[in-house]
Amino acid sequence: MSSPSARHFARTAYEAFLADLRREPSAAECEQWATDHAGDPDEPRALVDAGWSIARSGGDIEQALELFLRAAGFGGESGRDAQVGIAEQLYALRRDQEADEVQRALRAELDDQPGGLGAVRIFDDMTEMLSDAGQDQLALEWCQAGLDRAAEAGDDPEAEELRRGLLISRCYLREKLGIELDKEDLAAYAEADSSVAELTAMMRERLGPLRPDSDVDASHGDGAFDAIVLRWTREDFRAVLSRWPESRARYGDDYETYAGRIQREARVYEESGATRVRLVTGSLTDYEAYAKAQQRDPAAPSTRRDYGEWCTTARPNRVRLWPPERNGACWCDSGRKYKKCCGAPARN
């Protein structure tokens, strides 16, 4: 049951459903809600959410495409969101000609519509999707058009945030295409660097030194140091909480909360002077075998920290440098771009 405040702020039946879950819904749950509430104004939104849930988790592309096609038939804002998903799945299936037709039709539809925040979001999403699909020139065209729409949206704070993101996307795209950066591009880079510095100072103040129960190994003297951050996979997370219930206080109740805490710790150590931050993906089976072989208590935080360090040499395929490339896959296995997932400003 949701809290009274959650129900108070939920404006629709679907939003109340999401508030009651208190976690990210599965694709099956979203699709079932759409089936159970056929005719509800949010039916296409639930179908779109189901499609993205499958696409982001690396699931069945054809299944995601079918859900997006169902949602697109409703038209409106959710229908346009669905068209972004349709184009992405078609590119993934190497049906480029069909995908090009979808993106051209969507662009024509948007050009015939009055400006607004919803339209700017679509331009932003299409820029990201086309960049992921390797369609950099098209992505740049959508990006520039999105910037023009954002300028028409006036002083809306959300539109301004989207504009900043589009400016940074334009920098990366122009750089990738070998186009010389202009003053606006360079200003966007400078603003991004300034935001990171402010965020770093805030987190240093709020988080303080390394906690003794953290899964971070930061070995250093008075100078530079390496940080090793251990994280459990999505598949193992529930089993870890079940095996060691006391870890819930450190990890949180769901994977999204846990991922946010891992992201925060990794960022703090990088910005506190770590020479590098290595993110180690732990396997519960492998960890328990390690603890048994070393005759260590698997519930002890020190065992987890030592296991993370051991993995850097014994399991190098599970180690990656943090953070990922801005346009690369997120470290949390969501299937989304880092900049749209754990690296998004709203999650930091």
Side-chain angles (χ1 to χ4, degrees):
M1 181 178 292
S2 67
S3 66
S5 59
R7 287 192 176 278
H8 176 73
F9 288 110
R11 297 187 298 273
T12 69
Y14 184 60
E15 288 170 351
F17 158 73
L18 295 176
D20 282 343
L21 282 179
R22 298 185 181 181
R23 58 173 171 78
E24 187 171 341
S26 68
E29 288 169 329
C30 292
E31 185 177 7
Q32 188 61 53
W33 190 95
T35 300
D36 294 343
H37 297 80
D40 188 279
D42 274 343
E43 180 185 354
R45 178 182 169 189
L47 291 171
V48 168
D49 286 350
W52 283 125
S53 179
I54 292 171
R56 290 166 183 165
S57 62
D60 188 329
I61 298 174
E62 294 282 5
Q63 184 184 3
L65 178 59
E66 189 272 333
L67 288 163
F68 287 131
L69 286 168
R70 285 170 59 188
F74 289 84
E77 185 171 347
S78 291
R80 289 188 284 275
D81 287 337
Q83 289 181 67
V84 179
I86 291 170
E88 182 183 88
Q89 307 321 301
L90 290 172
Y91 278 124
L93 291 167
R94 300 186 183 281
R95 292 158 60 178
D96 290 12
Q97 185 174 350
E98 294 173 73
D100 288 342
E101 291 172 0
V102 171
Q103 69 90 12
R104 283 196 296 268
L106 178 56
R107 180 63 187 275
E109 180 181 347
L110 289 169
D111 287 345
D112 288 339
Q113 297 286 331
L117 193 57
V120 179
R121 289 197 199 99
I122 296 295
F123 279 101
D124 184 48
D125 289 342
M126 282 297 293
T127 298
E128 177 193 353
M129 184 277 294
L130 289 165
S131 177
D132 285 344
Q135 303 290 329
D136 294 328
Q137 185 59 51
L138 277 174
L140 182 58
E141 292 171 11
W142 276 85
C143 184
Q144 187 57 60
L147 285 167
D148 295 340
R149 285 297 185 96
E152 295 170 4
D155 297 330
D156 185 287
E158 191 170 347
E160 178 61 20
E161 183 65 26
L162 287 168
R163 187 191 70 83
R164 290 195 187 101
L166 284 164
L167 277 172
I168 294 174
S169 293
R170 191 181 73 165
C171 293
Y172 281 95
L173 288 165
R174 286 166 66 90
E175 201 167 41
K176 193 173 180 181
L177 290 165
I179 301 172
E180 185 177 357
L181 302 185
D182 60 21
K183 290 182 179 180
E184 197 170 22
D185 294 326
L186 296 173
Y189 270 129
E191 183 178 354
D193 289 343
S194 174
S195 297
V196 169
E198 291 173 7
L199 178 63
T200 300
M202 178 191 74
M203 288 195 293
R204 281 177 177 169
E205 179 182 348
R206 291 187 179 182
L207 297 181
L210 175 66
R211 301 190 318 269
D213 62 350
S214 170
D215 291 351
V216 176
D217 177 35
S219 303
H220 59 93
D222 296 330
F225 62 95
D226 273 7
I228 300 167
V229 182
L230 174 67
R231 69 104 180 181
W232 303 109
T233 64
R234 288 177 180 268
E235 292 75 16
D236 283 346
F237 183 68
R238 288 293 171 193
V240 168
L241 293 183
S242 176
R243 197 73 51 86
W244 301 293
E246 67 277 8
S247 66
R248 192 178 298 270
R250 297 189 299 276
Y251 295 161
D253 294 327
D254 55 72
Y255 201 83
E256 282 63 42
T257 300
Y258 173 62
R261 293 180 180 181
I262 293 292
Q263 171 79 1
R264 183 176 63 179
E265 288 190 352
R267 184 182 289 274
V268 164
Y269 287 102
E270 182 199 44
E271 300 299 338
S272 296
T275 304
R276 58 183 173 175
V277 178
R278 287 175 286 178
L279 197 60
V280 175
T281 298
S283 158
L284 181 56
T285 301
D286 189 54
Y287 172 66
E288 291 184 316
Y290 166 85
K292 182 177 181 180
Q294 299 293 321
Q295 298 183 327
R296 302 281 298 276
D297 177 8
S302 60
T303 306
R304 289 194 288 270
R305 287 198 297 273
D306 290 346
Y307 168 69
E309 185 171 4
W310 175 79
C311 280
T312 61
T313 53
R315 303 284 188 266
N317 60 316
R318 294 183 185 168
V319 182
R320 64 186 299 177
L321 290 178
W322 185 96
E325 291 292 330
R326 183 172 178 272
N327 286 309
C330 189
W331 59 264
C332 75
D333 303 327
S334 65
R336 302 187 71 194
K337 260 186 179 181
Y338 177 66
K339 72 175 185 180
K340 290 289 187 179
C341 193
C342 290
R347 295 192 65 174
N348 286 275

